[in-house]
């Protein structure tokens, strides 16, 4: 279950992904399969080769891409999420949900 997003944030992310940009979207998320994780960051890009290349620098595998709808993306959570958000200087997304 996802929550904590505003419609304009989701729309902006989808538009950036569709343009072939590497786009980040963090939101609250609960899933019993991942106990202890309360947020997820979706890193998407419609240019799948660009997304794969981006992911390789962080050890992300192409087979981990979620092709839901028209917005291919990696789902980041846990310490991997924190590490990547820091390295990508996405501190606003990190701090917004860090309570």
């Amino acid at each position: 279950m996802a929550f904590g997003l505003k419609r304009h944030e989701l729309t902006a992310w989808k538009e950036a992904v569709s343009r072939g940009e590497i786009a980040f979207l963090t939101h609250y998320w609960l899933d019993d399969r991942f106990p202890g994780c309360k947020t997820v960051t979706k890193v998407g890009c419609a240019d799948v080769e660009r997304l794969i290349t981006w992911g390789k620098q962080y050890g992300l595998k192409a087979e981990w891409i979620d092709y839901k709808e028209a917005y291919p993306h990696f789902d980041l959570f846990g310490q991997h999420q924190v590490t990547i958000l820091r390295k990508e200087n996405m501190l606003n997304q990190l701090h917004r949900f860090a309570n």
Side-chain angles (χ1 to χ4, degrees):
M1 175 194 316
F3 50 98
L5 283 177
K6 293 180 173 71
R7 183 174 303 278
H8 72 88
E9 293 170 318
L10 179 59
T11 299
W13 180 80
K14 286 180 173 183
E15 290 172 354
V17 169
S18 295
R19 288 191 302 268
E21 298 174 20
I22 299 292
F24 294 77
L25 181 69
T26 303
H27 59 80
Y28 287 113
W29 172 73
L30 297 175
D31 188 318
D32 292 337
R33 297 173 297 166
F34 304 97
C37 295
K38 65 178 184 173
T39 63
V40 64
T41 298
K42 296 183 177 302
V43 182
C45 183
D47 180 342
V48 175
E49 287 305 314
R50 183 175 183 195
L51 185 60
I52 290 169
T53 300
W54 176 88
K56 282 182 182 178
Q57 69 183 311
Y58 298 112
L60 304 176
K61 297 180 181 180
E63 56 265 26
W64 296 345
I65 295 174
D66 184 344
Y67 289 94
K68 188 176 284 179
E69 300 177 13
Y71 308 102
H73 64 276
F74 287 108
D75 288 319
L76 309 177
F77 46 90
Q79 189 56 46
H80 214 154
Q81 174 191 25
V82 172
T83 299
I84 292 173
L85 286 174
R86 283 187 178 142
K87 287 183 178 179
E88 291 288 330
N89 199 27
M90 292 293 188
L91 301 179
N92 60 330
Q93 295 206 27
L94 185 60
H95 295 299
R96 178 178 171 192
F97 298 96
N99 45 3

